Amino acid sequence: MNFTAIDFETANGKRNSACSLGLVKVENGVIVDSREWLISPPEMYFHPINVSIHGITEDDVANQPSFNYIWDEVEDYLQDSMVIAHNASFDVSVLRACLETYGIPNPDFDYMCTVQISKNLWPSMPNHKLNTLAHLFDIPLKHHDALEDTLACAKIAIKACKSISAKNMNDLANEIKIKPGKVFNGGYQSPKKYK
């Protein structure tokens, strides 16, 4: 059960405005590494709504690197991996927008979404928000902190696999009838449900 969990926070409504990134590496169902970066977005505008959600301000990132300067480290976690995110369509779109902004080709990886996974596995839950799942599964969470969100996402994915004795994320995908999405040089494909 090997994968990388990812979570972005953004400065404003633009997808390329990443201001924080958390990554968690899981090997054989165990969290073995975690990283967090503050990022200086290309446009230094922090919308009050975004700040109210994650608490990150212009001052916090003023002396932090832009996305292109951390990419070499980040790419090592993603290339040829299974990538997991909670509301993956958002996080993958932020990643793609950041790469496009700096003229960096997409890496190659498959991805899945823990919102989609949890809806299929635990349909009777009150909702499938990250904080709800974390609370129900006794996972500590400081919500909208990129690393905390990523750790919770990773633990939910591990729990999902264990709940149906799936050996890896691809087994899980097969069991719950989801075809993982793909990101590749030149494009992407969203995850799809099949019967």
Side-chain angles (χ1 to χ4, degrees), residues 47-187:
H47 195 284
I49 290 176
N50 294 59
V51 174
S52 73
I53 291 169
H54 53 57
I56 301 167
T57 67
E58 185 176 322
D59 289 344
D60 294 322
V61 302
N63 296 312
Q64 299 300 322
S66 54
F67 182 83
N68 52 319
Y69 284 104
I70 67 167
W71 174 242
D72 284 348
E73 292 177 82
V74 173
E75 184 179 22
D76 289 341
Y77 286 85
L78 304 182
Q79 183 66 40
D80 300 322
S81 295
M82 172 62 79
V83 175
I84 308 297
H86 201 78
N87 191 12
S89 61
F90 172 78
D91 294 288
V92 169
S93 71
V94 171
L95 174 65
R96 291 175 48 245
C98 289
L99 293 168
E100 185 178 345
T101 295
Y102 295 104
I104 303 168
N106 286 344
D108 293 308
F109 62 81
D110 291 344
Y111 72 95
M112 292 178 67
C113 177
T114 47
V115 174
Q116 199 172 32
I117 290 166
S118 64
K119 282 181 176 179
N120 281 320
L121 275 180
W122 305 299
S124 62
M125 287 189 170
N127 63 59
H128 299 88
K129 296 176 181 177
L130 187 63
N131 56 336
T132 302
L133 294 171
H135 176 72
L136 290 170
F137 297 142
D138 293 320
I139 298 169
L141 176 66
K142 180 184 168 195
H143 201 14
H144 298 300
D145 172 287
L147 184 56
E148 290 266 335
D149 285 1
T150 309
L151 285 163
C153 174
K155 290 173 183 176
I156 290 165
I158 292 167
K159 182 168 186 62
C161 286
K162 289 182 176 175
S163 74
I164 60 168
S165 301
K167 293 188 173 98
N168 55 51
M169 296 307 295
N170 285 318
D171 278 357
L172 176 66
N174 288 335
E175 284 292 325
I176 63 176
K177 309 274 192 260
I178 291 174
K179 182 179 179 183
K182 290 184 177 295
V183 172
F184 50 90
N185 191 352

Side-chain angles (χ1 to χ4, degrees), residues 3-37:
F3 62 86
T4 297
I6 186 172
D7 182 76
F8 281 102
E9 300 297 330
T10 55
N12 56 61
K14 293 184 178 177
R15 287 291 197 254
N16 70 348
S17 70
C19 61
S20 181
L21 167 62
L23 288 173
V24 169
K25 190 175 186 68
V26 173
E27 291 180 355
N28 300 316
V30 176
I31 294 170
V32 296
D33 190 15
S34 62
R35 290 289 309 274
E36 183 176 24
W37 293 267

